[in-house]
Amino acid sequence: MNFSWTPHRFAGGALALDVANSVILRFDPARSVDRFAEEKQMDAFAEATSAFSAERALFGQLSPVPPANREPFLTLREAIDRYFRARVQGDDGYGLLADLLEATAAILRRAEKGALEAATAHSALRLLANEEITRLKICGNCGWLFVDRSKNRSRTWCDMTVCGNRAKASRHYRRKKKEAAP
């Protein structure tokens, strides 16, 4: 599958969340798509982070994940998703925290500074240590994880231009259909 990495794909607000969100429709096996299934897409993601990631100023231009680190990187991605998703859903994620820390340690022991996998591990640790962890949410449309940085914490979609518009259009369609029904 070939596609472009666009700003919408970096709506998580933290590199670690953007990496976790690389699995589209994660909880719908019939429609789920792993955007990192092809190595060239994972490599393109590393390049796109310098243009679109919310943490691009912190990490700068990142190098792609070398083949030897791809499996541990994907393990880290899944640990990030499981832990932060559990936190949003009200679980303290205590057991999942150990998995996340182990996956992070495995990456940091082998990755070079400036590599996507190292930056992702640092991003996850920053999120753990930061008060922004209390602002994590799951998009009501696509299920992605994101940091709600709105002043009143009222954001419900990862990205208003995509998921927000889809939800509003769907609601409008249902309302009009109901009004038109005899």
Side-chain angles (χ1 to χ4, degrees):
M1 174 182 248
N2 199 10
F3 61 92
S4 298
W5 291 105
T6 62
H8 167 66
R9 302 289 173 206
F10 292 86
L15 179 60
L17 300 180
D18 296 332
V19 167
N21 293 339
S22 65
V23 177
I24 311 302
L25 301 171
R26 183 178 285 275
F27 297 106
D28 184 353
R31 300 184 322 163
S32 184
V33 175
D34 181 354
R35 302 269 176 159
F36 288 167
E38 295 181 25
E39 290 182 13
K40 67 179 182 174
Q41 294 299 336
M42 191 186 299
D43 294 347
F45 180 87
E47 184 178 324
T49 60
S50 66
F52 303 125
S53 174
E55 295 177 315
R56 64 186 172 271
L58 180 65
F59 298 120
Q61 182 70 38
L62 298 175
S63 62
V65 179
N69 289 354
R70 289 185 192 264
E71 186 175 327
F73 176 65
L74 295 177
T75 299
L76 175 61
R77 175 185 69 179
E78 297 308 307
I80 289 167
D81 185 78
R82 283 190 305 272
Y83 175 75
F84 290 115
R85 193 169 295 279
R87 285 291 304 258
V88 172
Q89 294 171 338
D91 183 348
D92 67 6
Y94 190 73
L96 298 173
L97 177 59
D99 294 341
L100 175 59
L101 293 174
E102 287 172 7
T104 302
I107 287 293
L108 293 176
R109 283 188 185 102
R110 63 189 318 155
E112 293 183 19
K113 184 178 178 181
L116 173 60
E117 66 272 27
T120 301
H122 281 279
S123 176
L125 292 173
R126 289 184 75 240
L127 201 51
L128 279 172
N130 194 311
E131 72 177 43
E132 283 191 331
I133 196 167
T134 64
R135 291 179 164 266
L136 289 181
K137 291 189 177 179
I138 298 173
C139 179
N141 186 54
C142 69
W144 280 0
L145 292 163
F146 68 93
V147 177
D148 179 3
R149 292 194 174 103
S150 65
K151 192 172 186 176
N152 62 358
R153 299 182 185 208
S154 62
R155 194 168 139 201
T156 56
W157 302 294
C158 64
D159 183 2
M160 182 58 196
T161 60
V162 177
C163 289
N165 281 343
R166 286 180 184 160
K168 287 181 175 188
S170 177
R171 191 170 56 232
H172 175 76
Y173 173 77
R174 286 191 309 272
R175 187 174 56 243
K176 290 296 182 184
K177 188 174 179 180
K178 186 177 178 181
E179 289 172 3

